[in-house]
Amino acid sequence: MTNAAVLSAPGAAAAAPRRKPRRVLPGFAPTLGFTLFYLSLLVLIPLSAVFFKAAGHGFDAFWAAATAPRVIASYKLSFGTALLAASINVVFGLVLAWSLVRYEFPGKKIVDALIDLPFALPTAVAGISLTALYAGNGWMGQLLAPLGIKVAFTPLGILVALIFIGLPFVVRTVQPVLEDMETELEEAAASLGAQRWQAFRMVVLPILLPSLLTGFALAFARAVGEYGSVIFIAGNIPMVSEITPLMIISKLEQFDYVGATAIATVMLLFSFVLLLAINGLQAWSSRRMGQEGRK
């Protein structure tokens, strides 16, 4: 039997060894090794140094520095305003992304470009601008003062600053999903008698939920550690408008490294637990969507 006959025989193609697809990057082992080395150098080693520094002075010193009344007040302010700002950004970020994707209006490209302004704008410039705008003699402050609303140098001013710097994270996370989502799904729901709110809640929202959670997590993470845009508008009044990053800077300026690392460790633990919970919820929603799609 000739070679041509052998190759043309049934099952010969299946029996022939399959050539592995060529990859641009090297194999799994060197790629994983470089990834772990790079991640350790930039993330794991610095974070581990914070934990070791905080633990090196004993638990009593750590606990006293991390649970001082002034520090506890800064925790409540930083994490509370970060959560509230991220929640507000989820709602209005979704509305803004929906408007940019589903509607055409004059100046749409300008609005789309302005969303990225908090990314490019130095945080100190953003803080100074917001302070000048919402101060008692500012453009917005003059309008709000007769109503008894004071924004600058209050926790409300911190909330405004955190909303400003966190909004692009939600918009840029949700916008690509909306662009890829087919409008036929909404039309099918409408043809079956669903109202607009029912179509949004039962059809659109489950598809957008993972991206909304991702945008929330990014906005929250940015807001917790924000310093430059908040420091000017906060007023920095102890027990009232003093954020946790400012407490860390103050401890470092006083050469109180134990207190600074203790506060930083608590912030890392709280942020890690919350982000882990958000990522778990996102993975659960993705699996649920996949199961519903197979049904």
Side-chain angles (χ1 to χ4, degrees), residues 13-179:
R18 182 176 297 177
R19 181 178 297 177
K20 295 182 179 180
R22 183 181 179 183
R23 294 181 173 88
V24 177
L25 294 177
F28 173 76
T31 304
L32 179 62
F34 176 79
T35 301
L36 294 177
F37 171 76
Y38 194 76
L39 183 65
S40 300
L41 186 64
L42 295 181
V43 179
L44 297 181
I45 294 177
L47 294 184
S48 300
V50 173
F51 283 100
F52 286 130
K53 183 69 176 180
H57 298 274
F59 180 77
D60 293 337
F62 170 84
W63 185 257
T67 58
R70 187 173 172 181
V71 178
I72 294 295
S74 71
Y75 292 153
K76 295 179 180 179
L77 179 64
S78 294
F79 286 100
T81 52
L83 282 172
L84 184 57
S87 302
I88 294 174
N89 280 330
V90 165
V91 177
F92 290 98
L94 173 60
V95 173
L96 186 54
W98 187 280
S99 301
L100 291 173
V101 173
R102 295 299 179 88
Y103 302 108
E104 295 291 336
F105 53 89
K108 176 180 177 179
K109 292 185 177 181
I110 298 177
V111 174
D112 193 22
L114 288 176
I115 292 175
D116 295 327
L117 185 61
F119 287 150
L121 193 67
T123 55
V125 176
I128 294 173
S129 302
L130 292 174
T131 303
L133 183 64
Y134 286 99
N137 55 352
W139 291 349
M140 295 297 297
Q142 291 178 349
L143 300 177
L144 296 176
L147 302 176
I149 302 175
K150 185 179 180 181
V151 178
F153 316 123
T154 64
L156 182 58
I158 299 175
L159 179 64
V160 171
L162 297 183
I163 292 174
F164 174 78
I165 57 99
L167 181 63
F169 290 95
V170 179
V171 177
R172 294 311 184 202
T173 305
V174 176
Q175 191 173 359
V177 181
L178 280 174
E179 291 174 349

